[in-house]
Amino acid sequence: QVQLQESGGGSVQAGGSLGLSCATSGFIFNACGMGWYRQPPGKERELVSIRHTNGTIIYGDDVKGRFTISQEKTINTAYLLMTSLKTEDTGVYYCVAMCGGIDPIYWAQGTQVTVSS
């Protein structure tokens, strides 16, 4: 059974930092790219960052230089460190796994991140 369990969401003031974790099981972590998407209130879901299996990392334009994606293969966990947060970073953040292709096939349930001014 595939599981992606997020933790670390919450509320923070603008300019602050927050870290998200995504503990996974049920699939071969090393064979899959991992990433993060988000859905701001009233908007479409958008890419935050993805890390492909070959090490290539992509960031959305809005988060470049502020967010960092990483992972720890020994514990099958992906991370997203968010710094210099802005109110527009508010949304539901989803951890995803891309196995066998470039599109996500597994999604976590989502965790709320709220940035206040």
Side-chain angles (χ1 to χ4, degrees):
Q1 181 181 2
V2 172
Q3 290 190 331
L4 288 81
Q5 184 63 52
E6 295 170 321
S7 60
S11 298
V12 65
Q13 287 193 320
S17 301
L18 205 59
L20 303 181
S21 298
C22 178
T24 73
S25 61
F27 61 92
I28 303 174
F29 187 83
N30 289 350
C32 299
M34 296 297 299
W36 298 86
Y37 281 71
R38 69 185 181 188
Q39 187 163 19
K43 296 185 179 180
E44 297 291 318
R45 196 172 291 179
E46 61 188 25
L47 171 73
V48 175
S49 181
I50 54 176
R51 184 185 187 281
H52 292 292
T53 53
N54 64 4
T56 300
I57 293 176
I58 297 172
Y59 291 100
D61 289 340
D62 292 344
V63 307
K64 283 180 182 176
R66 300 188 297 120
F67 289 14
T68 304
I69 191 173
S70 62
Q71 60 187 54
E72 178 53 65
K73 293 182 179 181
T74 60
I75 55 173
N76 297 341
T77 299
Y79 302 97
L80 183 69
L81 175 62
M82 305 179 289
T83 65
S84 300
L85 282 160
K86 305 175 182 179
T87 55
E88 50 264 46
D89 293 318
T90 293
V92 179
Y93 282 68
Y94 298 89
C95 172
V96 301
M98 302 160 290
C99 306
I102 62 173
D103 294 322
I105 62 169
Y106 301 127
W107 292 76
Q109 79 283 359
T111 187
Q112 178 69 41
V113 171
T114 301
V115 184
S116 59
S117 58

